[in-house]
Amino acid sequence: MAHYIFSLLFYALAALCLNVSAAELAWNGHTTPGTTKPAAFRPYYVPPGSKSYDSASPLVLYSGGRWTEIHSPAYTGGSLRQTLQVQASVSFTFFGTGIEWFGNRDMYQGISDVYIDRDLVQKVDAWYDGKRLTQQRLFWRYDLLCQKHTLKIVNTGARPGSTHDYAANLDAFVVTGCHSLQQLDDVPPPHPHSSLPPLLLATEAEPANKWTLEQKGSTGVHAMQLAIISSTHALIIDKVEHNPLTIDGHPAWAALYDIENHGVIPLAMLSNSFCAGGTFLGNGTLINVGGNPVVEDNTSSADFGDVDGLQAIRLLDPCLSSSASGCKIYESPDRIRMASPRWYNTVLRISDGSAMIIGGSKKGGWMNNATVNNPTIEYFPPKSIHGSNGMPIDLPFLHETLNSNLFPIAFLLPDGTVFIAANNDAMIYNWKTNTERRLPAIPNGVRVTYPMAGTALLLPLSPHNNYQAEVLLCGGSTIDDTRPSYKISSKEPASAQCARMVLTDAGIAAGWEIEQMPEARLMPDAVLLPTGDILICNGAGTGISGYGNVVDQVGASNAADPVLTPVLYTPSAAPGARFSRTGMPTSDIPRMYHSVATLTPNGDVMIAGSNPNLDRSEVKYGTEYRVEWLRPPYMTKARPQIMDAPEQLQFGETVVITIQLPTGFQDRSDIKVALMDYGYVTHAVHANSRLVYLVARLSTAGTKITIMAPPNSMVYPPGPGWLVVVVDEVPSKAQRVMVGDGKGPEVDEKALKNVLENTKPDQYEESKSKGGEE
Ligand SMILES: *[C@@H]1O[C@H](CO)[C@@H](O)[C@H](O)[C@H]1NC(C)=O
Ligand SMILES: *[C@@H]1O[C@H](CO)[C@@H](O)[C@H](O)[C@H]1NC(C)=O
Ligand SMILES: *[C@@H]1O[C@H](CO)[C@@H](O)[C@H](O)[C@H]1NC(C)=O
């Protein structure tokens, strides 16, 4: 068995090596600050806050054979050690949560066994059939407990299919410290357990109500954007930076994360996706929209061969196999792009299965302003609508909500209109008539969109009240968004306010209902559970979103005081009794700016990310690759199972699904079937997140449920969803279903042609060469 696992590992590594060779060809970036001359990428990188130990360090111990010192300016510290002897080893004891091993890949190198604290954790093949690659990351691990560890590398001398003896080498180790614990220094008292060992802490609770938190896996690419794409994989999208996972000879900025086995596959992407939004379309293809120009700041993160992402539309076709093999992101700016540049736009699937692309700024920056604002919507595929012929349509609301109005909050409502909140205001947009209906302002001056990010959800829709829509907005800040950054502090308190409103005439007349979370949160994440409850996690107690802008920055973070304990919100409970922290564990990992959380098809919550930094950093608050799994109490109960369900649901149709109820199930009336969209998560915006309960009737034998699909494409927009059976408040695992005909949005060739003829793929670069738009 062990042998089998290692051969799998070996093949995985061999595949990685192949990527490296494809690499040199694909590479067109430059790595030296201030130059535009292409140069080979060397993965060796010491993030601020990390420490590098050279092969010549006295802390590095060589034994079991002869290690030769080789001198060359190509090596870090000017030297490298290499052994040709089988069983020769090097060991290194360090204190921290992560370790990286750098060295050469060439045709003399073979397979080494890597041990951490005596456990064989990986077989690393450093063989490479090409010109020698130096300063390569041969091994990395970032999810260790914060304590003393010993890494040992043993040369096996072997390579499959060869009888030669091969070498092992070491150029340097890079150690990630215990940044998470240092960060706890700053956490104020409300978490009484924070000085105890971190994991699995819970407030006093009956075991039946106990939530658990497990840290397991690392994303390899920082998780700025997250979407579940299949029952086994999540898509992770980041910005261009020094992530340890590489592809085509440079750091990757997108990946597929295996939520069952915790493996991670890098994805190639052409353009810079910082900070894009996303949605599935009606045909199941996921689009990722908008981003950033090539970063030309004076940083080594500047250029990994990416292109301007401001008008990018990146496509990921359905990727459903459990190996995620062959899944690719497709980009072709000449054929598929937005009509205007957008940074921090929101992307929403609407009732015809197309995407509405909302707002954003025309170039990267921080707080929006009238010069860079893009106060428009456009569609993908483009539409001939309201005389636009595919071009952007002006939205007065996005002018009037300056400055703090990036990543607008948006939900498709069950009458086909769209709720939009930005800054301190909200409205209902009728895209068919291009009209805005203003709603009462969000009370008490609370701003809810970037950089005063709160979070929001459309509460579960149910046939019991004819799919009455109600929205919930939580957190944010009351900081005056006209104050200059140097007058804003990372220590200013966030808002604890939640505001909810029923979006009927009567509900709007009644206005916002106000509640207070137990703790203030900026940048929280709100996750719908199949039970209809809402988990609120992540975020900071003080400051403002972004990095490098305000006074009292922590590292580069504009926010401080991480909120480490999630809270459960029960929308159907009586006012005053909706928030609960019973049995809720406290994390030791701050989830600050650029953190994410999503429900998975298993029913648990995947929490990842946090990176208030220009590039990968290990200072407080560092770039976080560790994943946490928050498991509701229902995960350990006997759960219902979906044995058989259709893969497609047409609107209004009645279908039968086969289930198995847990033994001892009593209350036949307490059975619900939920159709869920887990949404596309980034910057506290859970775009497209949705839960629709279906009309459901249990058969007498208790083995079948007759369900009625959503009545129309406004209640649930056409596209992928997840079916879950909930009995006695315990959900089954979810099964993917395509809702609608699966054909996807109509393509208006005239509008598409007009957009391509009248726009350039790179309008931002164009404006710069004309002397800039400011
Ligand atoms: C889905 O529709 C989009 C927009 O027309 C198109 O670009 C994409 O290729 C389609 N996906 C599939 C799988 O057909
Ligand atoms: C740019 O970076 C280089 C190398 O790190 C440094 O020497 C130089 O001072 C920097 N220049 C500016 C203008 O910040
Ligand atoms: C508007 O925002 C851009 C991008 O952050 C910034 O460069 C510019 O200085 C701002 N303009 C004003 C007038 O504040």
Side-chain angles (χ1 to χ4, degrees):
M1 181 64 191
H3 175 78
Y4 172 69
I5 290 170
F6 289 131
S7 41
L8 278 184
L9 267 173
F10 169 74
Y11 287 115
L13 284 162
L16 279 176
C17 292
L18 285 179
N19 278 336
V20 173
S21 50
E24 292 284 281
L25 299 172
W27 172 251
N28 68 338
H30 56 89
T31 53
T32 314
T35 80
T36 50
K37 198 167 151 253
F41 169 65
R42 286 172 172 166
Y44 177 75
Y45 175 70
V46 187
S50 281
K51 201 159 175 214
S52 178
Y53 296 84
D54 192 64
S55 57
S57 160
L59 300 173
V60 176
L61 306 176
Y62 299 90
S63 60
R66 197 155 64 88
W67 288 78
T68 313
E69 186 158 17
I70 305 168
H71 294 268
S72 160
Y75 303 137
T76 74
S79 71
L80 168 136
R81 301 274 175 116
Q82 177 165 285
T83 184
L84 276 160
Q85 280 176 280
V86 178
Q87 294 305 312
S89 66
V90 52
S91 66
F92 174 61
T93 296
F94 62 95
F95 192 90
T97 57
I99 180 85
E100 293 163 80
W101 161 30
F102 290 90
N104 287 352
R105 283 185 195 277
D106 60 39
M107 61 177 66
Y108 305 106
Q109 309 301 318
I111 295 174
S112 298
D113 289 337
V114 179
Y115 297 81
I116 292 184
D117 303 329
R118 302 226 173 102
D119 293 332
L120 178 56
V121 292
Q122 198 166 317
K123 284 187 165 295
V124 170
D125 188 354
W127 185 81
Y128 173 65
D129 182 19
K131 192 163 170 282
R132 170 174 298 145
L133 301 173
T134 61
Q135 300 185 28
Q136 301 295 300
R137 186 183 283 101
L138 300 176
F139 170 83
W140 54 274
R141 186 85 192 256
Y142 299 129
D143 58 351
L144 304 174
L145 289 177
C146 169
Q147 61 190 43
K148 201 155 109 176
H149 300 280
T150 299
L151 176 88
K152 188 174 181 190
I153 301 164
V154 182
N155 183 24
T156 69
R159 286 210 77 243
S162 173
T163 52
H164 292 269
D165 279 353
Y166 286 87
N169 73 87
L170 167 69
D171 190 349
F173 291 120
V174 174
V175 173
T176 303
C178 292
H179 54 85
S180 59
L181 285 195
Q182 294 151 19
Q183 286 159 359
L184 280 182
D185 302 346
D186 256 16
V187 178
H191 319 294
H193 297 292
S194 59
S195 58
L196 295 177
L199 296 180
L200 307 182
L201 285 179
T203 51
E204 298 302 313
E206 294 304 307
N209 286 331
K210 201 165 166 82
W211 294 63
T212 62
L213 183 67
E214 185 190 15
Q215 180 207 309
K216 186 166 192 183
S218 48
T219 53
V221 163
H222 165 258
M224 172 194 285
Q225 304 166 41
L226 179 67
I228 297 290
I229 57 156
S230 70
S231 51
T232 52
H233 282 82
L235 172 69
I236 290 175
I237 294 186
D238 190 24
K239 64 181 193 269
V240 175
E241 64 181 322
H242 274 97
N243 288 311
L245 204 63
T246 59
I247 188 163
D248 297 342
H250 60 76
W253 57 93
L256 294 172
Y257 186 93
D258 183 334
I259 58 178
E260 287 178 349
N261 303 309
H262 304 279
V264 59
I265 305 170
L267 286 178
M269 215 148 69
L270 186 64
S271 61
N272 191 350
S273 47
F274 170 70
C275 289
T279 184
F280 290 98
L281 298 173
N283 60 10
T285 291
L286 182 142
I287 57 168
N288 177 259
V289 181
N292 209 38
V294 177
V295 175
E296 290 167 349
D297 288 1
N298 192 11
T299 76
S300 52
S301 72
D303 180 359
F304 290 135
D306 55 307
V307 306
D308 183 354
L310 276 170
Q311 284 168 254
I313 298 183
R314 312 172 186 89
L315 286 83
L316 177 70
D317 280 345
C319 161
L320 301 175
S321 86
S322 60
S323 63
S325 61
C327 299
K328 280 195 174 70
I329 290 181
Y330 175 80
E331 267 181 276
S332 177
D334 290 335
R335 287 184 53 230
I336 298 177
R337 62 169 180 266
M338 281 191 286
S340 61
R342 295 180 196 266
W343 180 84
Y344 285 62
N345 54 277
T346 295
V347 186
L348 184 70
R349 182 164 85 257
I350 56 173
S351 51
D352 64 357
S354 72
M356 177 188 281
I357 303 167
I358 310 166
S361 149
K362 284 185 277 191
K363 62 174 243 191
W366 179 54
M367 184 80 79
N368 203 7
N369 62 45
T371 313
V372 296
N373 194 20
N374 186 342
T376 67
I377 52 166
E378 60 184 284
Y379 297 91
F380 181 77
K383 292 189 199 308
S384 291
I385 187 173
H386 313 306
S388 67
N389 206 3
M391 298 300 282
I393 297 167
D394 197 69
L395 229 52
F397 180 77
L398 292 174
H399 291 272
E400 291 159 28
T401 49
L402 283 171
N403 293 325
S404 182
N405 69 352
L406 292 177
F407 270 125
I409 288 164
F411 295 105
L412 174 69
L413 299 179
D415 66 355
T417 60
V418 173
F419 169 86
I420 304 183
N423 203 339
N424 186 224
D425 287 297
M427 67 130 166
I428 293 172
Y429 180 65
N430 186 329
W431 63 273
K432 290 185 175 157
T433 58
N434 193 26
T435 48
E436 301 181 354
R437 173 182 181 178
R438 294 308 167 95
L439 297 171
I442 297 158
N444 303 315
V446 177
R447 304 175 202 283
V448 294
T449 48
Y450 183 88
M452 317 268 185
T455 190
L457 285 175
L458 180 66
L459 296 183
L461 297 172
S462 165
H464 295 311
N465 61 6
N466 196 27
Y467 309 102
Q468 176 179 284
E470 186 169 5
V471 285
L472 174 76
L473 312 172
C474 290
S477 170
T478 54
I479 291 174
D480 175 358
D481 66 350
T482 61
R483 274 163 63 197
S485 60
Y486 57 86
K487 289 192 176 160
I488 296 175
S489 159
S490 72
K491 307 239 161 76
E492 292 180 56
S495 168
Q497 175 173 291
C498 289
R500 60 190 263 190
M501 186 158 63
V502 176
L503 297 176
T504 57
D505 289 338
I508 294 167
W512 294 101
E513 180 191 346
I514 296 304
E515 296 166 277
Q516 300 298 320
M517 296 185 283
E519 289 163 286
R521 286 183 201 248
L522 184 83
M523 313 178 285
D525 281 293
V527 177
L528 273 168
L529 303 180
T531 54
D533 290 341
I534 289 166
L535 180 89
I536 299 174
C537 60
N538 296 353
T542 64
I544 187 164
S545 303
Y547 51 81
N549 307 102
V550 304
V551 297
D552 300 324
Q553 288 168 32
V554 184
S557 173
N558 288 347
D561 184 16
V563 189
L564 299 170
T565 310
V567 58
L568 191 70
Y569 179 81
T570 304
S572 56
R578 291 177 183 154
F579 289 103
S580 161
R581 283 195 287 187
T582 308
M584 209 51 99
T586 295
S587 176
D588 72 332
I589 303 181
R591 300 289 182 181
M592 311 294 278
Y593 186 46
H594 290 156
S595 298
V596 287
T598 182
L599 189 71
T600 81
N602 296 328
D604 54 358
V605 177
M606 175 181 181
I607 299 175
S610 192
N611 188 21
N613 299 287
L614 178 64
D615 196 352
R616 183 183 158 205
S617 170
E618 295 298 341
V619 301
K620 191 180 191 173
Y621 294 99
T623 307
E624 198 47 76
Y625 294 105
R626 291 176 292 175
V627 185
E628 287 170 297
W629 306 89
L630 182 61
R631 303 201 173 97
Y634 58 64
M635 294 295 285
T636 53
K637 295 188 178 158
R639 297 171 70 181
Q641 283 179 67
I642 299 179
M643 309 307 287
D644 188 41
E647 287 176 4
Q648 191 157 17
L649 272 184
Q650 303 286 356
F651 292 105
E653 79 172 333
T654 298
V655 298
V656 176
I657 59 180
T658 308
I659 57 159
Q660 198 168 74
L661 293 174
T663 45
F665 166 66
Q666 298 294 326
D667 184 0
R668 296 184 59 88
S669 67
D670 189 13
I671 187 151
K672 295 187 277 198
V673 177
L675 173 64
M676 301 190 72
D677 187 327
Y678 301 144
Y680 188 95
V681 186
T682 188
H683 290 78
V685 173
H686 290 240
N688 305 297
S689 175
R690 201 173 196 84
L691 193 170
V692 179
Y693 287 117
L694 304 180
V695 176
R697 202 183 62 246
L698 184 64
S699 69
T700 323
T703 54
K704 307 228 179 264
I705 306 178
T706 306
I707 57 169
M708 194 158 31
N712 59 54
S713 64
M714 302 181 288
V715 168
Y716 192 96
W722 295 89
L723 275 179
V724 190
V725 173
V726 188
V727 295
D728 285 344
E729 298 300 301
V730 176
S732 67
K733 289 188 178 183
Q735 182 163 320
R736 185 179 182 274
V737 63
M738 271 301 283
V739 184
D741 62 12
K743 289 199 185 118
E746 196 185 317
V747 179
D748 180 332
E749 297 292 348
K750 190 171 138 279
L752 183 62
K753 188 159 171 277
N754 185 54
V755 167
L756 294 180
E757 278 175 7
N758 291 293
T759 65
K760 297 252 167 63
D762 204 350
Q763 281 155 208
Y764 168 78
E765 293 297 327
E766 188 89 343
S767 74
K768 273 199 318 190
S769 59
K770 282 192 204 126
E773 75 266 64
E774 290 191 29

